[in-house]
Each structure stands twice: as C-alpha cells, then as structure tokens.
PDB file of all heavy atoms in Angstrom:
ATOM      1  N   GLY A 315       0.800  -1.230   0.000  1.00  0.00           N
ATOM      2  CA  GLY A 315       0.000   0.000   0.000  1.00  0.00           C
ATOM      3  C   GLY A 315       0.825   1.267   0.000  1.00  0.00           C
ATOM      4  O   GLY A 315       0.506   2.228  -0.711  1.00  0.00           O
ATOM      5  N   GLY A 316       1.901   1.281   0.787  1.00  0.00           N
ATOM      6  CA  GLY A 316       2.740   2.475   0.839  1.00  0.00           C
ATOM      7  C   GLY A 316       3.345   2.806  -0.503  1.00  0.00           C
ATOM      8  O   GLY A 316       3.433   3.980  -0.894  1.00  0.00           O
ATOM      9  N   GLN A 317       3.746   1.784  -1.236  1.00  0.00           N
ATOM     10  CA  GLN A 317       4.320   1.989  -2.558  1.00  0.00           C
ATOM     11  C   GLN A 317       3.275   2.523  -3.534  1.00  0.00           C
ATOM     12  O   GLN A 317       3.564   3.413  -4.344  1.00  0.00           O
ATOM     13  CB  GLN A 317       4.898   0.675  -3.087  1.00  0.00           C
ATOM     14  CG  GLN A 317       5.572   0.802  -4.442  1.00  0.00           C
ATOM     15  CD  GLN A 317       6.111  -0.528  -4.942  1.00  0.00           C
ATOM     16  OE1 GLN A 317       5.926  -1.561  -4.299  1.00  0.00           O
ATOM     17  NE2 GLN A 317       6.765  -0.512  -6.086  1.00  0.00           N
ATOM     18  N   LEU A 318       2.050   2.003  -3.448  1.00  0.00           N
ATOM     19  CA  LEU A 318       0.978   2.466  -4.324  1.00  0.00           C
ATOM     20  C   LEU A 318       0.669   3.941  -4.091  1.00  0.00           C
ATOM     21  O   LEU A 318       0.524   4.720  -5.040  1.00  0.00           O
ATOM     22  CB  LEU A 318      -0.287   1.630  -4.098  1.00  0.00           C
ATOM     23  CG  LEU A 318      -0.261   0.172  -4.543  1.00  0.00           C
ATOM     24  CD1 LEU A 318      -1.578  -0.512  -4.185  1.00  0.00           C
ATOM     25  CD2 LEU A 318      -0.023   0.076  -6.039  1.00  0.00           C
ATOM     26  N   VAL A 319       0.565   4.331  -2.813  1.00  0.00           N
ATOM     27  CA  VAL A 319       0.260   5.726  -2.479  1.00  0.00           C
ATOM     28  C   VAL A 319       1.392   6.643  -2.946  1.00  0.00           C
ATOM     29  O   VAL A 319       1.145   7.715  -3.518  1.00  0.00           O
ATOM     30  CB  VAL A 319       0.033   5.882  -0.968  1.00  0.00           C
ATOM     31  CG1 VAL A 319      -0.108   7.352  -0.594  1.00  0.00           C
ATOM     32  CG2 VAL A 319      -1.216   5.112  -0.531  1.00  0.00           C
ATOM     33  N   SER A 320       2.636   6.224  -2.735  1.00  0.00           N
ATOM     34  CA  SER A 320       3.779   7.039  -3.158  1.00  0.00           C
ATOM     35  C   SER A 320       3.812   7.206  -4.669  1.00  0.00           C
ATOM     36  O   SER A 320       4.081   8.301  -5.187  1.00  0.00           O
ATOM     37  CB  SER A 320       5.082   6.394  -2.672  1.00  0.00           C
ATOM     38  OG  SER A 320       5.132   6.334  -1.264  1.00  0.00           O
ATOM     39  N   MET A 321       3.544   6.110  -5.389  1.00  0.00           N
ATOM     40  CA  MET A 321       3.525   6.174  -6.851  1.00  0.00           C
ATOM     41  C   MET A 321       2.417   7.088  -7.347  1.00  0.00           C
ATOM     42  O   MET A 321       2.617   7.879  -8.283  1.00  0.00           O
ATOM     43  CB  MET A 321       3.363   4.774  -7.436  1.00  0.00           C
ATOM     44  CG  MET A 321       4.573   3.877  -7.303  1.00  0.00           C
ATOM     45  SD  MET A 321       4.277   2.218  -7.973  1.00  0.00           S
ATOM     46  CE  MET A 321       3.948   2.603  -9.701  1.00  0.00           C
ATOM     47  N   ALA A 322       1.235   6.993  -6.720  1.00  0.00           N
ATOM     48  CA  ALA A 322       0.111   7.841  -7.123  1.00  0.00           C
ATOM     49  C   ALA A 322       0.430   9.313  -6.877  1.00  0.00           C
ATOM     50  O   ALA A 322       0.115  10.181  -7.706  1.00  0.00           O
ATOM     51  CB  ALA A 322      -1.149   7.435  -6.378  1.00  0.00           C
ATOM     52  N   LEU A 323       1.049   9.608  -5.728  1.00  0.00           N
ATOM     53  CA  LEU A 323       1.440  10.994  -5.421  1.00  0.00           C
ATOM     54  C   LEU A 323       2.450  11.514  -6.436  1.00  0.00           C
ATOM     55  O   LEU A 323       2.334  12.643  -6.937  1.00  0.00           O
ATOM     56  CB  LEU A 323       2.021  11.072  -4.011  1.00  0.00           C
ATOM     57  CG  LEU A 323       1.034  11.122  -2.847  1.00  0.00           C
ATOM     58  CD1 LEU A 323       1.787  11.019  -1.514  1.00  0.00           C
ATOM     59  CD2 LEU A 323       0.210  12.405  -2.875  1.00  0.00           C
ATOM     60  N   GLY A 324       3.462  10.691  -6.737  1.00  0.00           N
ATOM     61  CA  GLY A 324       4.479  11.109  -7.691  1.00  0.00           C
ATOM     62  C   GLY A 324       3.923  11.332  -9.075  1.00  0.00           C
ATOM     63  O   GLY A 324       4.259  12.323  -9.745  1.00  0.00           O
ATOM     64  N   MET A 325       3.055  10.436  -9.516  1.00  0.00           N
ATOM     65  CA  MET A 325       2.453  10.580 -10.846  1.00  0.00           C
ATOM     66  C   MET A 325       1.539  11.791 -10.905  1.00  0.00           C
ATOM     67  O   MET A 325       1.496  12.505 -11.917  1.00  0.00           O
ATOM     68  CB  MET A 325       1.682   9.312 -11.195  1.00  0.00           C
ATOM     69  CG  MET A 325       2.561   8.094 -11.406  1.00  0.00           C
ATOM     70  SD  MET A 325       1.611   6.563 -11.639  1.00  0.00           S
ATOM     71  CE  MET A 325       0.811   6.895 -13.207  1.00  0.00           C
ATOM     72  N   THR A 326       0.806  12.045  -9.818  1.00  0.00           N
ATOM     73  CA  THR A 326      -0.072  13.220  -9.779  1.00  0.00           C
ATOM     74  C   THR A 326       0.738  14.500  -9.898  1.00  0.00           C
ATOM     75  O   THR A 326       0.381  15.407 -10.668  1.00  0.00           O
ATOM     76  CB  THR A 326      -0.883  13.240  -8.472  1.00  0.00           C
ATOM     77  OG1 THR A 326      -1.688  12.060  -8.387  1.00  0.00           O
ATOM     78  CG2 THR A 326      -1.791  14.464  -8.414  1.00  0.00           C
ATOM     79  N   ALA A 327       1.828  14.590  -9.139  1.00  0.00           N
ATOM     80  CA  ALA A 327       2.684  15.774  -9.202  1.00  0.00           C
ATOM     81  C   ALA A 327       3.286  15.945 -10.591  1.00  0.00           C
ATOM     82  O   ALA A 327       3.340  17.060 -11.126  1.00  0.00           O
ATOM     83  CB  ALA A 327       3.792  15.665  -8.149  1.00  0.00           C
ATOM     84  N   LEU A 328       3.724  14.833 -11.182  1.00  0.00           N
ATOM     85  CA  LEU A 328       4.331  14.889 -12.513  1.00  0.00           C
ATOM     86  C   LEU A 328       3.328  15.368 -13.560  1.00  0.00           C
ATOM     87  O   LEU A 328       3.644  16.232 -14.390  1.00  0.00           O
ATOM     88  CB  LEU A 328       4.860  13.508 -12.893  1.00  0.00           C
ATOM     89  CG  LEU A 328       5.599  13.410 -14.235  1.00  0.00           C
ATOM     90  CD1 LEU A 328       6.850  14.279 -14.209  1.00  0.00           C
ATOM     91  CD2 LEU A 328       5.974  11.957 -14.527  1.00  0.00           C
ATOM     92  N   VAL A 329       2.115  14.836 -13.511  1.00  0.00           N
ATOM     93  CA  VAL A 329       1.084  15.228 -14.483  1.00  0.00           C
ATOM     94  C   VAL A 329       0.707  16.696 -14.300  1.00  0.00           C
ATOM     95  O   VAL A 329       0.631  17.454 -15.275  1.00  0.00           O
ATOM     96  CB  VAL A 329      -0.165  14.334 -14.339  1.00  0.00           C
ATOM     97  CG1 VAL A 329      -1.315  14.884 -15.188  1.00  0.00           C
ATOM     98  CG2 VAL A 329       0.148  12.908 -14.752  1.00  0.00           C
ATOM     99  N   PHE A 330       0.482  17.106 -13.037  1.00  0.00           N
ATOM    100  CA  PHE A 330       0.053  18.482 -12.791  1.00  0.00           C
ATOM    101  C   PHE A 330       1.106  19.491 -13.234  1.00  0.00           C
ATOM    102  O   PHE A 330       0.805  20.438 -13.976  1.00  0.00           O
ATOM    103  CB  PHE A 330      -0.271  18.687 -11.310  1.00  0.00           C
ATOM    104  CG  PHE A 330      -0.559  20.112 -10.946  1.00  0.00           C
ATOM    105  CD1 PHE A 330      -1.745  20.713 -11.343  1.00  0.00           C
ATOM    106  CD2 PHE A 330       0.355  20.863 -10.234  1.00  0.00           C
ATOM    107  CE1 PHE A 330      -2.011  22.040 -11.045  1.00  0.00           C
ATOM    108  CE2 PHE A 330       0.098  22.189  -9.916  1.00  0.00           C
ATOM    109  CZ  PHE A 330      -1.085  22.775 -10.323  1.00  0.00           C
ATOM    110  N   PHE A 331       2.343  19.300 -12.780  1.00  0.00           N
ATOM    111  CA  PHE A 331       3.393  20.265 -13.125  1.00  0.00           C
ATOM    112  C   PHE A 331       3.736  20.209 -14.604  1.00  0.00           C
ATOM    113  O   PHE A 331       4.044  21.238 -15.215  1.00  0.00           O
ATOM    114  CB  PHE A 331       4.634  20.023 -12.267  1.00  0.00           C
ATOM    115  CG  PHE A 331       4.476  20.455 -10.838  1.00  0.00           C
ATOM    116  CD1 PHE A 331       4.481  19.528  -9.816  1.00  0.00           C
ATOM    117  CD2 PHE A 331       4.312  21.800 -10.519  1.00  0.00           C
ATOM    118  CE1 PHE A 331       4.317  19.924  -8.496  1.00  0.00           C
ATOM    119  CE2 PHE A 331       4.154  22.208  -9.199  1.00  0.00           C
ATOM    120  CZ  PHE A 331       4.155  21.263  -8.185  1.00  0.00           C
ATOM    121  N   GLY A 332       3.667  19.020 -15.188  1.00  0.00           N
ATOM    122  CA  GLY A 332       3.951  18.906 -16.616  1.00  0.00           C
ATOM    123  C   GLY A 332       2.922  19.630 -17.468  1.00  0.00           C
ATOM    124  O   GLY A 332       3.275  20.404 -18.375  1.00  0.00           O
ATOM    125  N   LEU A 333       1.641  19.421 -17.171  1.00  0.00           N
ATOM    126  CA  LEU A 333       0.577  20.082 -17.935  1.00  0.00           C
ATOM    127  C   LEU A 333       0.572  21.588 -17.694  1.00  0.00           C
ATOM    128  O   LEU A 333       0.381  22.376 -18.625  1.00  0.00           O
ATOM    129  CB  LEU A 333      -0.779  19.485 -17.563  1.00  0.00           C
ATOM    130  CG  LEU A 333      -1.023  18.036 -17.983  1.00  0.00           C
ATOM    131  CD1 LEU A 333      -2.363  17.546 -17.450  1.00  0.00           C
ATOM    132  CD2 LEU A 333      -0.976  17.891 -19.497  1.00  0.00           C
ATOM    133  N   SER A 334       0.771  21.991 -16.441  1.00  0.00           N
ATOM    134  CA  SER A 334       0.800  23.425 -16.125  1.00  0.00           C
ATOM    135  C   SER A 334       1.955  24.113 -16.844  1.00  0.00           C
ATOM    136  O   SER A 334       1.799  25.200 -17.414  1.00  0.00           O
ATOM    137  CB  SER A 334       0.921  23.634 -14.612  1.00  0.00           C
ATOM    138  OG  SER A 334      -0.198  23.116 -13.932  1.00  0.00           O
ATOM    139  N   ALA A 335       3.132  23.477 -16.811  1.00  0.00           N
ATOM    140  CA  ALA A 335       4.302  24.056 -17.470  1.00  0.00           C
ATOM    141  C   ALA A 335       4.074  24.157 -18.976  1.00  0.00           C
ATOM    142  O   ALA A 335       4.447  25.163 -19.600  1.00  0.00           O
ATOM    143  CB  ALA A 335       5.534  23.211 -17.174  1.00  0.00           C
ATOM    144  N   TYR A 336       3.454  23.137 -19.543  1.00  0.00           N
ATOM    145  CA  TYR A 336       3.192  23.153 -20.988  1.00  0.00           C
ATOM    146  C   TYR A 336       2.268  24.309 -21.358  1.00  0.00           C
ATOM    147  O   TYR A 336       2.512  25.039 -22.336  1.00  0.00           O
ATOM    148  CB  TYR A 336       2.564  21.831 -21.413  1.00  0.00           C
ATOM    149  CG  TYR A 336       2.212  21.772 -22.885  1.00  0.00           C
ATOM    150  CD1 TYR A 336       3.208  21.635 -23.842  1.00  0.00           C
ATOM    151  CD2 TYR A 336       0.888  21.869 -23.309  1.00  0.00           C
ATOM    152  CE1 TYR A 336       2.893  21.587 -25.195  1.00  0.00           C
ATOM    153  CE2 TYR A 336       0.563  21.822 -24.654  1.00  0.00           C
ATOM    154  CZ  TYR A 336       1.567  21.685 -25.592  1.00  0.00           C
ATOM    155  OH  TYR A 336       1.262  21.645 -26.932  1.00  0.00           O
ATOM    156  N   ALA A 337       1.202  24.501 -20.572  1.00  0.00           N
ATOM    157  CA  ALA A 337       0.250  25.585 -20.852  1.00  0.00           C
ATOM    158  C   ALA A 337       0.907  26.952 -20.668  1.00  0.00           C
ATOM    159  O   ALA A 337       0.649  27.883 -21.447  1.00  0.00           O
ATOM    160  CB  ALA A 337      -0.966  25.459 -19.939  1.00  0.00           C
ATOM    161  N   ILE A 338       1.764  27.081 -19.651  1.00  0.00           N
ATOM    162  CA  ILE A 338       2.403  28.367 -19.374  1.00  0.00           C
ATOM    163  C   ILE A 338       3.464  28.698 -20.418  1.00  0.00           C
ATOM    164  O   ILE A 338       3.540  29.824 -20.921  1.00  0.00           O
ATOM    165  CB  ILE A 338       3.022  28.363 -17.965  1.00  0.00           C
ATOM    166  CG1 ILE A 338       1.921  28.284 -16.906  1.00  0.00           C
ATOM    167  CG2 ILE A 338       3.879  29.609 -17.739  1.00  0.00           C
ATOM    168  CD1 ILE A 338       2.433  28.064 -15.496  1.00  0.00           C
ATOM    169  N   ILE A 339       4.294  27.708 -20.760  1.00  0.00           N
ATOM    170  CA  ILE A 339       5.397  27.952 -21.694  1.00  0.00           C
ATOM    171  C   ILE A 339       4.891  28.184 -23.114  1.00  0.00           C
ATOM    172  O   ILE A 339       5.317  29.119 -23.791  1.00  0.00           O
ATOM    173  CB  ILE A 339       6.386  26.772 -21.662  1.00  0.00           C
ATOM    174  CG1 ILE A 339       7.078  26.706 -20.301  1.00  0.00           C
ATOM    175  CG2 ILE A 339       7.436  26.915 -22.770  1.00  0.00           C
ATOM    176  CD1 ILE A 339       7.938  25.474 -20.105  1.00  0.00           C
ATOM    177  N   THR A 340       3.980  27.345 -23.570  1.00  0.00           N
ATOM    178  CA  THR A 340       3.487  27.490 -24.943  1.00  0.00           C
ATOM    179  C   THR A 340       2.457  28.608 -25.080  1.00  0.00           C
ATOM    180  O   THR A 340       2.271  29.144 -26.168  1.00  0.00           O
ATOM    181  CB  THR A 340       2.839  26.177 -25.422  1.00  0.00           C
ATOM    182  OG1 THR A 340       1.687  25.874 -24.603  1.00  0.00           O
ATOM    183  CG2 THR A 340       3.834  25.027 -25.333  1.00  0.00           C
ATOM    184  N   ARG A 341       1.773  28.926 -23.959  1.00  0.00           N
ATOM    185  CA  ARG A 341       0.715  29.944 -23.962  1.00  0.00           C
ATOM    186  C   ARG A 341      -0.383  29.635 -24.986  1.00  0.00           C
ATOM    187  O   ARG A 341      -1.013  30.546 -25.534  1.00  0.00           O
ATOM    188  CB  ARG A 341       1.284  31.346 -24.194  1.00  0.00           C
ATOM    189  CG  ARG A 341       2.095  31.850 -23.026  1.00  0.00           C
ATOM    190  CD  ARG A 341       2.513  33.294 -23.178  1.00  0.00           C
ATOM    191  NE  ARG A 341       3.088  33.790 -21.949  1.00  0.00           N
ATOM    192  CZ  ARG A 341       2.412  34.383 -20.970  1.00  0.00           C
ATOM    193  NH1 ARG A 341       1.107  34.540 -21.101  1.00  0.00           N
ATOM    194  NH2 ARG A 341       3.022  34.807 -19.882  1.00  0.00           N
ATOM    195  N   LYS A 342      -0.605  28.359 -25.215  1.00  0.00           N
ATOM    196  CA  LYS A 342      -1.690  27.960 -26.113  1.00  0.00           C
ATOM    197  C   LYS A 342      -3.034  28.194 -25.428  1.00  0.00           C
ATOM    198  O   LYS A 342      -3.152  28.100 -24.208  1.00  0.00           O
ATOM    199  CB  LYS A 342      -1.548  26.484 -26.486  1.00  0.00           C
ATOM    200  CG  LYS A 342      -0.374  26.190 -27.401  1.00  0.00           C
ATOM    201  CD  LYS A 342      -0.339  24.723 -27.796  1.00  0.00           C
ATOM    202  CE  LYS A 342      -1.568  24.327 -28.590  1.00  0.00           C
ATOM    203  NZ  LYS A 342      -1.498  22.919 -29.078  1.00  0.00           N
ATOM    204  N   ASP A 343      -4.017  28.497 -26.233  1.00  0.00           N
ATOM    205  CA  ASP A 343      -5.370  28.719 -25.719  1.00  0.00           C
ATOM    206  C   ASP A 343      -6.129  27.381 -25.749  1.00  0.00           C
ATOM    207  O   ASP A 343      -6.412  26.845 -26.815  1.00  0.00           O
ATOM    208  CB  ASP A 343      -6.081  29.754 -26.585  1.00  0.00           C
ATOM    209  CG  ASP A 343      -7.450  30.136 -26.011  1.00  0.00           C
ATOM    210  OD1 ASP A 343      -7.852  29.552 -24.984  1.00  0.00           O
ATOM    211  OD2 ASP A 343      -8.107  31.019 -26.584  1.00  0.00           O
ATOM    212  N   PHE A 344      -6.426  26.868 -24.555  1.00  0.00           N
ATOM    213  CA  PHE A 344      -7.119  25.588 -24.452  1.00  0.00           C
ATOM    214  C   PHE A 344      -8.602  25.762 -24.151  1.00  0.00           C
ATOM    215  O   PHE A 344      -9.246  24.851 -23.622  1.00  0.00           O
ATOM    216  CB  PHE A 344      -6.476  24.725 -23.361  1.00  0.00           C
ATOM    217  CG  PHE A 344      -5.128  24.175 -23.733  1.00  0.00           C
ATOM    218  CD1 PHE A 344      -3.966  24.817 -23.322  1.00  0.00           C
ATOM    219  CD2 PHE A 344      -5.025  23.035 -24.508  1.00  0.00           C
ATOM    220  CE1 PHE A 344      -2.721  24.317 -23.663  1.00  0.00           C
ATOM    221  CE2 PHE A 344      -3.781  22.524 -24.859  1.00  0.00           C
ATOM    222  CZ  PHE A 344      -2.630  23.166 -24.435  1.00  0.00           C
ATOM    223  N   SER A 345      -9.145  26.920 -24.524  1.00  0.00           N
ATOM    224  CA  SER A 345     -10.568  27.153 -24.283  1.00  0.00           C
ATOM    225  C   SER A 345     -11.444  26.194 -25.087  1.00  0.00           C
ATOM    226  O   SER A 345     -12.603  25.961 -24.742  1.00  0.00           O
ATOM    227  CB  SER A 345     -10.939  28.601 -24.624  1.00  0.00           C
ATOM    228  OG  SER A 345     -10.652  28.886 -25.990  1.00  0.00           O
ATOM    229  N   PHE A 346     -10.882  25.612 -26.157  1.00  0.00           N
ATOM    230  CA  PHE A 346     -11.652  24.675 -26.976  1.00  0.00           C
ATOM    231  C   PHE A 346     -11.984  23.392 -26.202  1.00  0.00           C
ATOM    232  O   PHE A 346     -12.830  22.606 -26.633  1.00  0.00           O
ATOM    233  CB  PHE A 346     -10.871  24.311 -28.249  1.00  0.00           C
ATOM    234  CG  PHE A 346      -9.586  23.571 -28.006  1.00  0.00           C
ATOM    235  CD1 PHE A 346      -9.565  22.184 -27.924  1.00  0.00           C
ATOM    236  CD2 PHE A 346      -8.394  24.269 -27.862  1.00  0.00           C
ATOM    237  CE1 PHE A 346      -8.387  21.492 -27.708  1.00  0.00           C
ATOM    238  CE2 PHE A 346      -7.201  23.591 -27.637  1.00  0.00           C
ATOM    239  CZ  PHE A 346      -7.199  22.202 -27.556  1.00  0.00           C
ATOM    240  N   LEU A 347     -11.325  23.189 -25.048  1.00  0.00           N
ATOM    241  CA  LEU A 347     -11.590  21.999 -24.243  1.00  0.00           C
ATOM    242  C   LEU A 347     -12.880  22.102 -23.428  1.00  0.00           C
ATOM    243  O   LEU A 347     -13.275  21.125 -22.789  1.00  0.00           O
ATOM    244  CB  LEU A 347     -10.420  21.737 -23.291  1.00  0.00           C
ATOM    245  CG  LEU A 347      -9.107  21.249 -23.914  1.00  0.00           C
ATOM    246  CD1 LEU A 347      -8.023  21.169 -22.850  1.00  0.00           C
ATOM    247  CD2 LEU A 347      -9.301  19.887 -24.578  1.00  0.00           C
TER     248      LEU A 347
END
C-alpha cells in the first residue's frame, strides 16, 4: 500500500506540473476543451 500511495502521489505531481508548465510555456489557448 505504501508503494501504491507514493507512486500515485508522484504521478499526480508529474502530471500536474507537466501540464501546467506546458500551458504556461506554450501559452496555447485551451478554451476549446
């Protein structure tokens, strides 16, 4: 269980910061979503 929770936390952080950085750096308009 501890490994599962740690992996989920790490993946969540990676997805959030990766997507946020992509939107900020490219400044693409994702209003179509």
